[in-house]
Short mmCIF file of all heavy atoms in Angstrom, two decimals:
data_model
loop_
_atom_site.label_atom_id
_atom_site.label_comp_id
_atom_site.label_asym_id
_atom_site.label_seq_id
_atom_site.Cartn_x
_atom_site.Cartn_y
_atom_site.Cartn_z
N ARG A 39 12.05 18.45 7.54
CA ARG A 39 11.13 18.55 8.68
C ARG A 39 10.49 19.94 8.74
O ARG A 39 9.27 20.06 8.81
CB ARG A 39 11.87 18.24 9.97
CG ARG A 39 11.01 18.51 11.18
CD ARG A 39 11.69 18.15 12.45
NE ARG A 39 11.33 16.78 12.81
CZ ARG A 39 11.55 16.27 14.00
NH1 ARG A 39 12.12 16.97 14.92
NH2 ARG A 39 11.18 15.04 14.28
N HIS A 46 2.30 18.95 6.83
CA HIS A 46 1.99 17.89 7.79
C HIS A 46 0.73 18.26 8.59
O HIS A 46 -0.17 17.44 8.76
CB HIS A 46 3.18 17.65 8.72
CG HIS A 46 3.04 16.43 9.56
ND1 HIS A 46 2.34 16.43 10.75
CD2 HIS A 46 3.46 15.15 9.38
CE1 HIS A 46 2.36 15.21 11.26
NE2 HIS A 46 3.04 14.41 10.45
N ALA A 49 -2.24 17.86 6.44
CA ALA A 49 -2.61 16.45 6.22
C ALA A 49 -3.33 15.89 7.44
O ALA A 49 -4.30 15.15 7.31
CB ALA A 49 -1.36 15.62 5.91
N GLU A 50 -2.84 16.27 8.63
CA GLU A 50 -3.48 15.78 9.87
C GLU A 50 -4.92 16.27 9.97
O GLU A 50 -5.72 15.69 10.68
CB GLU A 50 -2.73 16.29 11.09
CG GLU A 50 -1.48 15.51 11.42
CD GLU A 50 -0.79 16.10 12.63
OE1 GLU A 50 -1.11 15.73 13.75
OE2 GLU A 50 0.08 16.98 12.43
N VAL A 55 -8.52 11.70 7.77
CA VAL A 55 -7.46 11.43 8.76
C VAL A 55 -7.98 11.73 10.17
O VAL A 55 -7.78 10.97 11.11
CB VAL A 55 -6.20 12.27 8.43
CG1 VAL A 55 -5.11 12.07 9.47
CG2 VAL A 55 -5.68 11.92 7.04
N LEU A 59 -8.34 9.13 13.31
CA LEU A 59 -7.75 9.33 14.63
C LEU A 59 -8.80 9.24 15.73
O LEU A 59 -8.50 8.89 16.87
CB LEU A 59 -7.03 10.69 14.71
CG LEU A 59 -5.75 10.79 13.90
CD1 LEU A 59 -5.17 12.19 13.98
CD2 LEU A 59 -4.71 9.78 14.40
N TYR A 154 10.91 9.61 2.02
CA TYR A 154 10.80 10.36 3.30
C TYR A 154 9.34 10.53 3.72
O TYR A 154 8.97 10.19 4.84
CB TYR A 154 11.48 11.72 3.13
CG TYR A 154 11.11 12.71 4.22
CD1 TYR A 154 11.74 12.68 5.46
CD2 TYR A 154 10.12 13.68 4.01
CE1 TYR A 154 11.38 13.57 6.47
CE2 TYR A 154 9.76 14.57 5.00
CZ TYR A 154 10.39 14.51 6.23
OH TYR A 154 10.03 15.39 7.22
N THR A 155 8.52 11.05 2.82
CA THR A 155 7.13 11.38 3.18
C THR A 155 6.36 10.16 3.65
O THR A 155 5.64 10.22 4.65
CB THR A 155 6.40 12.00 1.96
OG1 THR A 155 7.17 13.12 1.53
CG2 THR A 155 5.00 12.44 2.31
N ARG A 156 6.50 9.03 3.01
CA ARG A 156 5.72 7.87 3.41
C ARG A 156 6.39 7.11 4.55
O ARG A 156 5.79 6.91 5.59
CB ARG A 156 5.51 6.93 2.21
CG ARG A 156 4.45 7.34 1.20
CD ARG A 156 3.06 7.56 1.74
NE ARG A 156 2.74 6.79 2.94
CZ ARG A 156 1.68 7.01 3.69
NH1 ARG A 156 0.82 7.94 3.40
NH2 ARG A 156 1.47 6.27 4.77
N LEU A 158 8.92 7.71 6.75
CA LEU A 158 9.15 8.34 8.05
C LEU A 158 7.82 8.57 8.76
O LEU A 158 7.73 8.49 9.98
CB LEU A 158 9.98 9.64 7.92
CG LEU A 158 11.24 9.60 8.78
CD1 LEU A 158 12.09 8.40 8.48
CD2 LEU A 158 12.05 10.86 8.66
N GLY A 159 6.79 8.86 7.97
CA GLY A 159 5.45 8.99 8.53
C GLY A 159 4.97 7.64 9.09
O GLY A 159 4.46 7.58 10.21
N SER A 162 6.60 6.88 12.24
CA SER A 162 6.25 7.79 13.34
C SER A 162 4.89 7.49 13.95
O SER A 162 4.76 7.37 15.15
CB SER A 162 6.27 9.24 12.85
OG SER A 162 7.54 9.55 12.35
N LYS A 197 15.01 5.83 12.65
CA LYS A 197 14.73 7.16 12.10
C LYS A 197 15.97 8.05 12.21
O LYS A 197 16.25 8.85 11.31
CB LYS A 197 13.55 7.81 12.84
CG LYS A 197 12.21 7.31 12.33
CD LYS A 197 11.06 8.20 12.73
CE LYS A 197 10.75 8.06 14.18
NZ LYS A 197 9.55 8.80 14.59
N ARG A 201 17.76 9.81 9.08
CA ARG A 201 18.01 11.26 9.02
C ARG A 201 19.49 11.56 8.78
O ARG A 201 19.83 12.49 8.06
CB ARG A 201 17.55 11.93 10.31
CG ARG A 201 16.04 11.97 10.43
CD ARG A 201 15.59 12.85 11.60
NE ARG A 201 14.15 12.82 11.73
CZ ARG A 201 13.49 12.24 12.73
NH1 ARG A 201 14.17 11.68 13.72
NH2 ARG A 201 12.18 12.26 12.77
N PHE A 225 3.08 15.20 0.00
CA PHE A 225 2.05 15.41 1.03
C PHE A 225 0.73 15.77 0.34
O PHE A 225 -0.33 15.28 0.71
CB PHE A 225 2.45 16.54 2.00
CG PHE A 225 3.19 16.06 3.21
CD1 PHE A 225 4.58 15.95 3.21
CD2 PHE A 225 2.51 15.70 4.37
CE1 PHE A 225 5.27 15.50 4.32
CE2 PHE A 225 3.19 15.25 5.50
CZ PHE A 225 4.57 15.15 5.48
N ASN A 228 -0.95 12.75 -1.06
CA ASN A 228 -1.60 11.96 -0.01
C ASN A 228 -2.92 12.61 0.40
O ASN A 228 -3.93 11.94 0.58
CB ASN A 228 -0.68 11.84 1.21
CG ASN A 228 0.34 10.74 1.02
OD1 ASN A 228 0.07 9.58 1.30
ND2 ASN A 228 1.51 11.09 0.49
N PHE A 232 -6.73 11.12 0.43
CA PHE A 232 -7.59 11.08 1.63
C PHE A 232 -8.92 11.78 1.35
O PHE A 232 -9.97 11.34 1.79
CB PHE A 232 -6.93 11.75 2.83
CG PHE A 232 -5.64 11.10 3.27
CD1 PHE A 232 -4.57 11.85 3.73
CD2 PHE A 232 -5.48 9.72 3.22
CE1 PHE A 232 -3.38 11.26 4.14
CE2 PHE A 232 -4.30 9.11 3.61
CZ PHE A 232 -3.26 9.88 4.07
C1 LIG B 318 -2.85 10.65 11.28
C2 LIG B 318 -2.36 11.87 11.48
C3 LIG B 318 -0.91 12.01 11.80
C4 LIG B 318 -0.34 12.06 13.03
C5 LIG B 318 -1.03 12.02 14.38
C6 LIG B 318 1.08 12.18 12.82
C7 LIG B 318 2.02 12.25 13.84
C8 LIG B 318 3.36 12.41 13.67
C9 LIG B 318 4.32 12.60 14.74
C10 LIG B 318 4.00 12.64 16.22
C11 LIG B 318 5.53 12.73 14.17
C12 LIG B 318 6.85 13.05 14.89
C13 LIG B 318 7.65 11.83 15.15
C14 LIG B 318 9.08 12.17 15.57
O1 LIG B 318 9.40 13.31 15.92
O2 LIG B 318 9.91 11.27 15.52
C15 LIG B 318 5.33 12.62 12.74
C16 LIG B 318 6.33 12.68 11.83
C17 LIG B 318 6.15 12.55 10.48
N1 LIG B 318 4.96 12.37 9.81
FE1 LIG B 318 3.15 12.32 10.63
N2 LIG B 318 1.35 12.19 11.49
C18 LIG B 318 0.14 12.10 10.83
C19 LIG B 318 -0.06 12.06 9.48
C20 LIG B 318 0.94 12.05 8.55
C21 LIG B 318 0.72 11.97 7.11
C22 LIG B 318 -0.63 11.87 6.44
C23 LIG B 318 1.97 11.99 6.56
C24 LIG B 318 2.35 11.91 5.12
C25 LIG B 318 1.65 11.41 4.17
C26 LIG B 318 2.94 12.08 7.63
C27 LIG B 318 4.28 12.15 7.46
C28 LIG B 318 5.21 12.32 8.47
C29 LIG B 318 6.64 12.46 8.27
C30 LIG B 318 7.36 12.47 6.94
C31 LIG B 318 7.22 12.62 9.52
C32 LIG B 318 8.69 12.81 9.83
C33 LIG B 318 8.97 14.27 10.17
C34 LIG B 318 10.45 14.49 10.41
O3 LIG B 318 10.89 14.22 11.50
O4 LIG B 318 11.13 14.91 9.47
N3 LIG B 318 2.28 12.13 8.81
N4 LIG B 318 4.02 12.43 12.48
#
Side-chain angles (χ1 to χ4, degrees):
R39 173 177 267 194
H46 191 276
E50 280 179 88
V55 177
L59 290 176
Y154 164 81
T155 305
R156 282 303 333 168
L158 237 55
S162 302
K197 279 198 287 186
R201 289 190 183 111
F225 268 90
N228 278 275
F232 298 143

